[in-house]
Amino acid sequence: MSEEPQGQGWPPRDATVSAPAAETPSGGARPPGQGRRGWRRFVPGWRPALGALVLIALLLTGGFLAGYALVHIPPANATATAQSNVYLYEDGTLLARDGEVNRESVPLAQVPLTVRQAVLAAEDRDFYSQRAVDPKAMVRAAWNTLTGKGKQSGSTITQQYVKNYYLGQEQTLSRKWKEFFISIKLSREQSKDEILQGYLNTSYFGRNAYGVQAAAQAYYGKDIEEIDTAEGAYLATLLNAPSTFDVTTHPENRNAALARWNYTLGGMVKEKWLTPSERAAMTFPDPQRARSATGLSGQRGYVVQAVEEYLTGDAEGTVILDENTLAAGGYRITTTLERAKQDAFTEAVTDQVTSRLDGERKADRNVRVGGASIDPATGRVVAMYGGVDYTRQYVNNATRRDYQVGSAFKPFVFASAVENHSRTQDGRRITPDTVYDGTDRRRVEGWSGRRYAPENEDGISYGQITVTEATDKSVNAVYAQMAMDVGPARVRETAIGLGIPADTPDLSASPSIALGPATPSVLDMTEAYATLADHGRHRAYTLVTKVTKDGVAVRLPKRAARQAVSREAADTTTGILQSVVDGGTGTAAQSAGRPAAGKTGTAEEDRAAWFAGYTPELATVVAVMGQDPDTGTQKSLYGAMGVPRVNGGGAPARIWGQFTGLALADREIVEFELLLEPGAWQEYSPTASSSPSEPGRGSGSPSRAPSRAPSRGPSASGGPGETKAPEPPPLPEAPPTVGEAPQEAEAGPVTEGVGRPETGEDAPFGGGSDGGAGDGGAPGEEAGPAGPAGPADPAGRPDPGAMTGPR
């Protein structure tokens, strides 16, 4: 038998006796947790957990350091820096905005403190005390978004500013990653005030308003510094949901907007920025209704265009801002324009022209109107009319330089005659009472070039006629000779001194200069007439009184006045121009109800009709032009507005009269104070006249006084108001047909200055009663400035009925 006990190797029968502890192959104890049952098998021990936490911390730290090192503050995005230029009337009210982005950045100091506090109460109450980013808020926002409580950003004002200014609005992890690090870096480089200023200037408030200044204008029609606490709280409310909380556009959301507004004001009370009593006294400030964007429609576009041209290089070549700088935007430009006068100009054009146009009349498609008005005492442009609508007719009719001025140029000839003490060919001094030969197609004496003999209106010969009468009736024969007597170069020099730009097309020194072949703009002519109104003192016109950017003023050039012509020359010219309004071609201007001086003018083939005039307080020029809307070519105004002809004494003079009356309605009537040329308007002496010795030569002394002397005007021997000019005796009744019919309805189908050019060497240069450039240019030049020619007949001669000169 074996010595071993029986049953060895079998487990004990006693279940309470446990087996010996298991050992590892090496004889050691088992690792803790080995052999765990259930969920405990998946819970790591403290050592692995600690290691994992350290690893995560290292990864986060490394990622942060890497992100901080790799992410740089980028340049601002184009949208964030883009601003509109803001144009204001002279009283500071909004006129227009240009640019695609409606933004005007302002310094933080310009934003009222309570408005800033309202924004903080609505968006980030701990802005000044917390760091650039708030991780807890970001986690909370992410959780709320995931759990369906609405998409929330959890961003601080700093982060929102970074998104607006440096990045974009896309919701991506990449953008959030960049936003996080840029915000941290930015907070180290900029102060809290700088960041808040940037945020206020880049945030979107709805109604296409970017920035708090644009929002103040869009919702309340005033600048941000005028916004009160309640209004500021509403603007702050809009930051949360700009379109949704616009209570005028979406009245159905009014309760939600009110709740957010109350939340904002409650936050201000909680932060002790507002007392409970101040809060209780506030009512919801309903914003104004949304208006169409103040862009460039109507007259606004013409004004913006003219101001831009003025700032980037005016008629005198002064550059205030270069084009690229101005185009960058952000400028606040206060113009010289007065809202009431601007509206009055539009009203006058509507009443006298636009309302009379008929779409069924072919000629009415071609009608254009331009106008400008200047305060002679300051040179400020107080009103401008550029066309019916800039979005429909983008060429500014007030500043274009391509239409002949016709007889509106004649006053410059007379002013030059007085200024230069000029004399006729037979040695008589030129005064308002000097007699000239007004014979039709009279040859200009003293001209060494090719024969020049301009035609009068309708070929009428006036015989012996005074300068005043010749001005009333716009007699070409007289003024062409006068230009020769003065010297065409001197006439040109005087016109430039008065305000006509030296580079004006067709401003050539020849006798035809008197008849207006030159093409200065309406604004140029207004400046020149304003010089006459201010007794010969010239001031370059100005369209701007103030320019600022970010609160800093741009330096504007000084506009010093200078005496362009003597007071006697200017005032005596005013005297004869008063006669034009009182009984000449400009009688329609009497509708202004003011003492007025002015001159009519008509371009070749009636392509433009002008009235240029002034009162002691206001100089205004109006032109009605013909232009094909499809091709842009100049067209005759024959038949427009249902009348046979459109001339300066018709629609232009009526517009002038209505506008001037409205513009000066609230001012007392002021008479002209004139200092006249010595010997002007001598008394009529029948025995003093004699027949001219040859055609074109006047007598040695004047024969008649003008039909009307100036209402007030001392002679050159005394100061203003000291001596009243002698009243001349009445003149014989004038011929029934004058150079320009005062009104179109009475003018009939006559043509002012129909040219009937002769063939051969002695053919007169150019046609026209009110002008004589015709199609041949200046006399004496082999190829002068070309004018549009009419259709030729079989013999090769221009059609007399189609060819007219400026007048």
Side-chain angles (χ1 to χ4, degrees):
M1 256 179 101
S2 169
E3 294 180 0
E4 293 181 5
Q6 294 182 2
Q8 186 176 356
W10 294 90
R13 295 179 181 276
D14 189 354
T16 61
V17 179
S18 62
E23 295 181 354
T24 64
S26 59
R30 284 179 178 157
Q34 184 171 330
R36 291 182 180 181
R37 301 293 185 266
W39 61 270
R40 288 186 177 84
R41 291 178 299 168
F42 303 102
V43 177
W46 67 272
R47 287 174 179 164
L50 179 62
L53 290 174
V54 170
L55 179 60
I56 291 172
L58 290 174
L59 289 174
L60 291 175
T61 302
F64 177 84
L65 294 175
Y68 191 85
L70 295 175
V71 177
H72 301 283
I73 299 178
N77 63 60
T79 303
T81 56
Q83 299 185 59
S84 59
N85 290 321
V86 179
Y87 298 82
L88 309 172
Y89 287 104
E90 54 85 27
D91 63 358
T93 57
L94 183 64
L95 191 160
R97 296 179 186 272
D98 70 348
E100 296 181 0
V101 177
N102 179 17
R103 177 189 289 116
E104 181 187 355
S105 297
V106 294
L108 185 64
Q110 196 170 326
V111 182
L113 177 61
T114 56
V115 176
R116 287 179 259 163
Q117 291 170 336
V119 170
L120 296 178
E123 295 295 311
D124 190 355
R125 299 177 188 178
D126 299 324
F127 170 71
Y128 277 98
S129 59
Q130 72 177 0
R131 296 180 179 180
V133 295
D134 186 353
K136 291 189 297 182
M138 294 174 67
V139 171
R140 182 175 62 252
W143 175 255
N144 289 337
T145 300
L146 290 173
T147 55
K149 296 182 180 180
K151 184 180 292 185
Q152 300 181 15
S153 67
S155 299
T156 63
I157 279 181
T158 302
Q159 289 173 275
Q160 294 181 57
Y161 171 52
V162 167
K163 178 182 66 176
N164 294 338
Y165 193 75
Y166 297 104
L167 301 173
Q169 304 302 314
E170 67 275 6
Q171 296 290 336
T172 63
L173 289 176
S174 173
R175 198 268 294 165
K176 294 295 292 184
W177 172 266
K178 293 177 182 177
E179 176 189 304
F180 180 86
F181 288 106
I182 293 173
S183 298
I184 295 173
K185 283 191 171 184
L186 189 67
S187 66
R188 296 173 178 269
E189 297 183 9
Q190 293 186 7
S191 68
K192 290 286 188 178
D193 281 350
E194 290 174 319
I195 293 172
L196 180 59
Q197 174 179 296
Y199 173 72
L200 292 174
N201 283 321
T202 56
S203 296
Y204 183 60
F205 289 81
R207 296 191 182 183
N208 195 37
Y210 291 84
V212 70
Q213 166 64 15
Q217 283 288 346
Y219 288 92
Y220 293 106
K222 50 189 176 182
D223 291 331
I224 186 60
E225 56 261 42
E226 301 172 4
I227 295 294
D228 61 29
T229 304
E231 294 166 340
Y234 178 67
L235 295 182
T237 295
L238 291 166
L239 290 167
N240 185 256
S243 298
T244 302
F245 289 161
D246 186 342
V247 296
T248 59
T249 304
H250 297 286
E252 68 277 9
N253 296 331
R254 185 179 182 85
N255 289 337
L258 280 171
R260 182 70 178 177
W261 181 73
N262 286 322
Y263 166 80
T264 300
L265 290 175
M268 294 181 70
V269 173
K270 185 175 181 180
E271 297 294 327
K272 302 187 185 305
W273 295 331
L274 195 66
T275 65
S277 60
E278 290 173 331
R279 165 65 187 92
M282 290 183 184
T283 57
F284 183 73
D286 283 296
Q288 63 187 13
R289 297 194 65 82
R291 297 175 297 179
S292 59
T294 310
L296 302 182
S297 61
Q299 295 303 303
R300 291 187 288 266
Y302 301 119
V303 171
V304 168
Q305 183 187 74
V307 171
E308 286 180 348
E309 291 174 356
Y310 176 82
L311 292 174
T312 58
D314 62 13
E316 296 188 342
T318 302
V319 176
I320 300 172
L321 294 170
D322 66 75
E323 292 185 19
N324 291 334
T325 301
L326 182 61
Y331 288 94
R332 188 177 182 82
I333 302 163
T334 304
T335 71
T336 58
L337 298 177
E338 300 178 19
R339 180 190 289 271
K341 290 182 174 63
Q342 191 75 1
D343 292 342
F345 222 136
T346 301
E347 181 180 342
V349 173
T350 300
D351 291 347
Q352 302 301 332
V353 173
T354 310
S355 63
R356 305 185 184 201
L357 300 179
D358 185 344
E360 299 299 320
R361 276 195 298 265
K362 185 176 180 180
D364 284 359
R365 297 175 62 249
N366 303 326
V367 175
R368 305 286 183 271
V369 180
S373 187
I374 291 178
D375 179 351
T378 63
R380 292 186 173 188
V381 180
V382 296
M384 175 185 293
Y385 186 89
V388 65
D389 189 330
Y390 183 76
T391 62
R392 293 163 55 192
Q393 299 174 8
Y394 64 89
V395 176
N396 189 339
N397 295 321
T399 59
R400 64 190 304 169
R401 292 184 175 130
D402 56 350
Y403 280 88
Q404 295 174 333
V405 296
S407 285
F409 195 91
K410 286 176 179 174
F412 308 153
V413 180
F414 180 76
S416 186
V418 179
E419 175 70 11
N420 291 290
H421 310 288
S422 300
R423 294 180 177 273
T424 64
Q425 295 291 302
D426 57 1
R428 292 172 293 117
R429 187 163 53 89
I430 300 175
T431 73
D433 199 46
T434 300
V435 172
Y436 271 93
D437 187 345
T439 301
D440 180 49
R441 285 188 280 185
R442 171 192 175 278
R443 180 171 182 167
V444 172
E445 299 292 329
W447 175 245
S448 60
R450 294 166 57 190
R451 185 180 189 275
Y452 182 49
E455 186 178 18
N456 293 334
E457 169 83 18
D458 295 330
I460 297 174
S461 291
Y462 293 93
Q464 301 303 298
I465 187 171
T466 65
V467 169
T468 300
E469 290 176 299
T471 307
D472 290 349
K473 299 171 183 177
S474 210
V475 181
N476 286 342
V478 171
Y479 267 90
Q481 183 62 58
M482 189 189 302
M484 190 65 242
D485 295 344
V486 177
R490 286 179 175 174
V491 172
R492 184 179 188 276
E493 181 182 351
T494 298
I496 293 171
L498 292 171
I500 302 300
D503 60 352
T504 298
D506 295 329
L507 188 65
S508 57
S510 69
S512 67
I513 192 174
L515 310 185
T519 59
S521 70
V522 169
L523 188 54
D524 296 333
M525 290 291 286
T526 311
E527 180 179 317
Y529 271 71
T531 302
L532 294 175
D534 196 33
H535 311 291
R537 285 189 296 267
H538 173 261
R539 293 176 176 82
Y541 76 81
T542 178
L543 273 164
V544 172
T545 62
K546 186 178 182 182
V547 179
T548 61
K549 184 171 185 179
D550 298 332
V552 179
V554 175
R555 184 176 180 180
L556 299 177
K558 294 183 179 179
R559 304 291 183 183
R562 58 176 176 78
Q563 199 71 33
V565 296
S566 67
R567 176 166 183 170
E568 291 85 353
D571 287 2
T572 308
T573 303
T574 297
I576 65 172
L577 295 183
Q578 282 184 277
S579 182
V580 173
V581 174
D582 288 347
T585 58
T587 55
Q590 293 176 13
S591 61
R594 298 265 169 171
K599 186 69 185 75
T600 55
T602 310
E604 188 174 18
E605 294 185 353
D606 282 17
R607 290 173 179 154
W610 297 70
F611 185 82
Y614 49 93
T615 67
E617 315 98 318
L618 201 61
T620 306
V621 175
V622 180
V624 177
M625 307 164 180
Q627 182 179 22
D628 189 298
D630 299 322
T631 65
T633 57
Q634 295 185 13
K635 291 290 186 179
S636 169
L637 291 168
Y638 295 139
M641 293 179 280
V643 296
R645 295 182 54 235
V646 177
N647 55 39
R654 292 198 303 268
I655 292 171
W656 187 97
Q658 180 175 338
F659 163 73
T660 302
L662 291 171
L664 301 177
D666 59 346
R667 299 178 65 171
E668 294 183 1
I669 293 178
V670 178
E671 298 285 346
F672 285 105
E673 295 283 349
L674 304 180
L675 183 66
L676 303 179
E677 175 192 19
W681 286 290
Q682 297 181 14
E683 295 218 13
Y684 171 56
S685 176
T687 60
S689 62
S690 60
S691 300
S693 58
E694 60 182 270
R697 292 299 181 97
S699 62
S701 60
S703 61
R704 299 194 292 182
S707 58
R708 181 193 185 279
S711 57
R712 295 181 66 180
S715 68
S717 60
E722 294 177 7
T723 305
K724 186 175 181 180
E727 289 291 337
L731 288 175
E733 190 173 325
T737 305
V738 296
E740 291 186 48
Q743 300 184 27
E744 293 126 337
E746 300 174 359
V750 298
T751 301
E752 180 186 12
V754 174
R756 297 179 179 84
E758 303 170 359
T759 58
E761 182 181 354
D762 288 340
F765 244 77
S769 70
D770 249 348
D775 67 343
E781 299 173 356
E782 290 298 321
D793 66 9
R797 295 173 299 181
D799 178 9
M803 176 179 169
T804 63
R807 49 194 182 276

